[in-house]
Structure formats: structure tokens, C-alpha cells
Amino acid sequence: MNFLEDYQIYSSGDEAPPDFHAWAGLSVLSSCCGPNLWLDMGKYNLQPNLYIMFVGPHAIVTGK
């Protein structure tokens, strides 16, 4: 199994939507790689920096 599958099993049964957990897992992988992983694009290196914002419905809509 890989990290994302293990994290999906770990987070099953939680209140947060599965899409939130998928993006949280990708965010963790991106932050663990840091500047050690890049794509050589010639003039510059492309690093896997992810800026993620979780947006959901208002508490009034969900009743919380």
C-alpha cells in the first residue's frame, strides 16, 4: 500500500469529506519533499509547492 491509501483508511469514518483528506495527504507529501525534489525545467527548477485552502459550506447550512 502507499501513503495515500493508508491515510484514506486511517481517516475513514471522520466527519470531513474524503476530498479534504485526499488534499491533506497530498499537502503532507509535498511538504515532506520540500526542496529535495524538483523538475529541471532548464532555466529554473520546478518544486512541488502546494498552497491548499479547504472551503466548505457555512455552519448555518450544515446545522452545526
Side-chain angles (χ1 to χ4, degrees), residues 33-49 51:
C33 292
N36 299 326
L37 178 72
W38 69 88
L39 292 174
D40 187 10
M41 302 300 285
K43 293 183 180 180
Y44 61 91
N45 291 334
L46 181 63
Q47 295 178 345
N49 296 330
Y51 299 96

Side-chain angles (χ1 to χ4, degrees), residues 3 7 11 17 29 34-36 38-39 41 44 46 50 54-55 60:
F3 171 76
Y7 182 71
S11 64
L29 288 176
N36 299 326
W38 69 88
L39 292 174
M41 302 300 285
Y44 61 91
L46 181 63
L50 295 177
F54 295 107
V55 179
I60 296 171

